[in-house]
Amino acid sequence: MAAKKKAATFESALEELEQLVERLESGDLPLDEALADFERGVKLTRECQQKLASAEQKVKILMEEGGKIQELPFDAEDDFPGDVE
């Protein structure tokens, strides 16, 4: 029985996706390779979207206050509740 391949991290999946895009944009690939790279890219995109959705859900849970989830839009420029300046 074959061992399952360990799930890639978000960063490694994104890096591989960027490499695939570069290869596809070069226009130098035979059709079969381009199609295989495109299929892999679609799979990686879905994996990244799933990982981002999971991370977003975890952030919402961590923002829970007083039994209610306080859903705030994410903005890297905003201060988080409870931050000390």
Side-chain angles (χ1 to χ4, degrees), residues 19 21 37 46-47 52 57 71-72 75:
Q19 292 169 357
V21 168
D37 282 358
R46 289 180 181 151
E47 288 176 11
L52 285 173
Q57 184 61 34
E71 202 170 317
L72 303 171
D75 186 349

Side-chain angles (χ1 to χ4, degrees), residues 10-29:
F10 176 81
E11 292 79 9
S12 64
L14 188 59
E15 183 178 336
E16 183 180 350
L17 184 56
E18 289 171 348
Q19 292 169 357
L20 289 172
V21 168
E22 287 178 16
R23 283 174 40 103
L24 288 168
E25 286 180 341
S26 74
D28 296 332
L29 294 175

